């Protein structure tokens, strides 16, 4: 049972498309140590996925794949709450209340909304604009203290803080005002084809992205094709501002092989890009393959996954109900007669 003195952590990933090596190194892997110290909730945010067109059968598959992947990566359901967002209906109910304190102007200014509106110009639905309010609801529903996210989500967490403070000011103290936890390690794994862009699952160029479902051959092929920098010579494998592409590969290597940048630079002194890229591939494969094997094993064990999801939703609902009834009371709604 949750220890009241522990700080609470909430984070989530959308079950859309393939989870990338960037998601793993930049997000999921950084969550693992948090489990020892905090009361953690890790969520598969399926409702958020609906803001862009989904094929229902694929969404269902991606959702279960991601649940299994969380566990395969080391999220321990005995320590953390692992659940699916749509299993706890309080998320959408609180989102409605938060909608009434969120301003159209501030949602309209969100970078990701503007970005996605550009990319999905034929489907700028209300959900897309409302996305950050649902995210705020995810976070505030659990009185979250810390939200581990990548840089691209900081603006959404700031909006969450604004909404919490605004609600608290209007209706008296109700929500914990959360803080971002932006980790440095791996938080900015870049595209293999363009080191100025983040490695993103929505990248149309599949050579740019390593996914956690790629097999060894695909990983090796993509790394061999990865762009490097224009210089070659004995010291071409080094970290540096002028070496964006190689620095990115070095980051991937050090995170997967568990060595420091210095050690890696020394190891590849006098070596060319070909040898280096193969070593990066070996390191990535050695990380990804055991995760894939474990994910496959878990997906075959339906009873276990169902048990995790039932328990996760139950625990989450317990906390969520408390917050939501407090909120309903504060805004002047009459409690349901029982
Ligand atoms: N918007 C986040 C992303 O795309 C996913 C997300 C939804 C989330 N709700 C959240 C992350 C709550 C942290 C906390 O990465």
């Amino acid at each position: 049972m949750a220890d009241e003195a522990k700080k609470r952590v909430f984070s989530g990933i959308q079950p859309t498309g393939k989870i990338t090596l960037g998601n793993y190194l930049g997000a999921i892997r950084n969550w693992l140590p948090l489990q020892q110290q905090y009361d953690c909730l890790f969520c598969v945010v399926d409702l958020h996925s609906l803001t862009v067109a989904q094929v229902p059968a694929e969404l269902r598959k991606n959702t279960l794949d991601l649940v299994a992947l969380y566990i395969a990566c080391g999220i321990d359901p005995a320590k953390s709450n692992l659940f699916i967002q749509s299993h706890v209906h309080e998320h959408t109910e609180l989102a409605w209340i938060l909608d009434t304190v969120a301003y159209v102007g501030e949602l309209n200014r969100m970078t990701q909304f503007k970005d996605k509106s550009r990319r999905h110009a034929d489907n700028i639905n209300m959900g897309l604009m409302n996305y950050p309010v649902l995210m705020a609801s995810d976070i505030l529903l659990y009185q979250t203290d810390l939200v581990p996210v990548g840089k691209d989500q900081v603006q959404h967490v700031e909006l969450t803080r604004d909404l919490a403070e605004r609600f608290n000011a209007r209706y008296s103290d109700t929500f914990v005002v959360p803080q971002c936890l932006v980790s440095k390690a791996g938080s900015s794994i870049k595209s293999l084809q363009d080191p100025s862009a983040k490695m993103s699952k929505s990248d149309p160029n599949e050579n740019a992205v390593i996914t956690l479902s790629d097999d060894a051959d695909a990983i090796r092929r993509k790394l061999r094709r990865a762009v490097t920098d224009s210089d070659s010579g004995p010291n071409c494998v080094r970290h540096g501002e002028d070496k964006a592409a190689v620095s990115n590969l070095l980051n991937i290597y050090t995170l997967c092989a568990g060595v420091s940048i210095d050690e890696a630079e020394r190891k590849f002194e006098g070596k060319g890009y070909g040898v280096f890229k193969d070593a990066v591939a070996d390191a990535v494969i050695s990380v990804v393959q055991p995760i894939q094997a474990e994910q496959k094993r878990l997906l075959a064990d339906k009873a276990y996954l169902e048990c995790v999801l039932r328990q996760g939703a139950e625990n989450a609902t317990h906390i969520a109900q408390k917050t939501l009834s407090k909120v309903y009371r504060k805004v002047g709604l009459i409690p349901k007669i029982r």
Side-chain angles (χ1 to χ4, degrees):
M1 202 57 246
D3 174 347
E4 291 302 325
K6 272 190 189 171
K7 288 202 171 179
R8 188 161 285 149
V9 165
F10 184 101
S11 200
I13 297 180
Q14 293 187 62
T16 39
K18 306 263 192 235
I19 301 302
T20 71
L21 183 66
N23 293 132
Y24 173 66
L25 296 175
I28 304 176
R29 211 167 85 145
N30 296 323
W31 297 351
L32 305 183
L34 302 175
Q35 300 184 99
Q36 320 304 337
Q37 204 180 338
Y38 301 112
D39 178 17
C40 295
L41 295 121
F42 297 118
C43 188
V44 174
V45 290
D46 54 349
L47 296 169
H48 276 106
S49 301
L50 297 175
T51 55
V52 302
Q54 299 291 333
V55 177
E58 279 176 17
L59 178 59
R60 263 189 294 272
K61 176 174 189 302
N62 288 337
T63 301
L64 286 179
D65 280 356
L66 184 52
V67 170
L69 188 67
Y70 275 2
I71 305 172
C73 288
I75 301 292
D76 179 354
K79 289 199 190 110
S80 302
N81 260 312
L82 199 171
F83 70 106
I84 295 175
Q85 185 186 32
S86 64
H87 289 182
V88 182
H89 56 73
E90 284 79 1
H91 288 246
T92 43
E93 294 175 77
L94 179 60
W96 173 255
I97 303 291
L98 294 175
D99 267 337
T100 66
V101 299
Y103 299 125
V104 171
E106 63 192 344
L107 294 179
N108 205 20
R109 277 196 299 276
M110 291 288 119
T111 309
Q112 195 164 73
F113 172 62
K114 288 194 278 190
D115 212 51
K116 286 191 181 170
S117 300
R118 230 173 284 127
R119 276 192 284 134
H120 305 278
D122 57 338
N123 184 19
I124 307 176
N125 59 78
M126 272 310 298
L128 202 57
M129 189 175 197
N130 231 345
Y131 180 111
V133 179
L134 181 58
M135 178 164 161
S137 172
D138 298 340
I139 296 167
L140 299 180
L141 197 50
Y142 299 100
Q143 305 292 359
T144 302
D145 298 285
L146 298 167
V147 189
V149 283
K151 281 201 205 92
D152 64 321
Q153 294 299 312
V154 169
Q155 193 183 39
H156 289 162
V157 178
E158 273 164 9
L159 177 83
T160 303
R161 292 169 55 86
D162 289 346
L163 296 181
E165 281 169 357
R166 199 175 300 155
F167 188 98
N168 287 349
R170 196 172 293 176
Y171 296 108
S172 84
D173 218 12
T174 306
F175 294 120
V176 169
V177 180
Q179 283 183 322
C180 265
L181 199 66
V182 185
S183 83
K184 280 195 210 99
S187 69
S188 54
I189 299 298
K190 306 296 187 192
S191 153
L192 299 180
Q193 294 296 318
D194 171 11
S196 69
K198 126 175 182 187
M199 182 181 281
S200 159
K201 54 185 161 187
S202 51
D203 198 315
N205 182 349
E206 67 158 56
N207 282 323
V209 182
I210 293 174
T211 79
L212 289 196
S213 49
D214 283 344
D215 62 21
D217 287 346
I219 292 172
R220 201 172 294 284
R221 175 166 34 82
K222 289 176 183 183
L223 281 163
R224 282 191 179 148
R225 289 183 189 165
V227 297
T228 47
D229 303 297
S230 49
D231 62 330
S232 50
N235 285 319
C236 61
V237 181
R238 63 182 168 78
H239 212 270
E241 295 213 338
D242 57 326
K243 301 273 295 175
V246 170
S247 296
N248 184 42
L249 295 178
L250 269 169
N251 285 342
I252 293 173
Y253 179 78
T254 55
L255 289 166
C256 292
V259 299
S260 69
I261 296 279
D262 281 352
E263 285 168 314
E265 282 178 343
R266 242 173 290 130
K267 186 176 160 84
F268 297 107
E269 221 170 62
K271 305 255 166 49
Y273 289 140
V275 171
F276 171 54
K277 284 173 166 181
D278 268 337
V280 181
D282 290 337
V284 171
I285 291 165
S286 76
V287 165
V288 168
Q289 268 182 344
I291 294 176
Q292 289 173 345
E294 181 61 3
Q295 184 191 26
K296 193 169 161 205
R297 189 188 71 76
L298 288 161
L299 283 168
D301 191 350
K302 257 214 151 88
Y304 172 72
L305 286 184
E306 281 176 4
C307 173
V308 167
L309 289 174
R310 188 180 308 115
Q311 191 62 54
E314 202 176 291
N315 294 345
T317 300
H318 182 74
I319 311 169
Q321 275 177 345
K322 264 207 246 173
T323 305
L324 190 69
S325 61
K326 189 167 157 191
V327 167
Y328 273 16
R329 194 161 22 86
K330 297 249 184 165
V331 299
L333 303 178
I334 291 183
K336 187 167 163 186
I337 317 296
R338 292 183 193 276

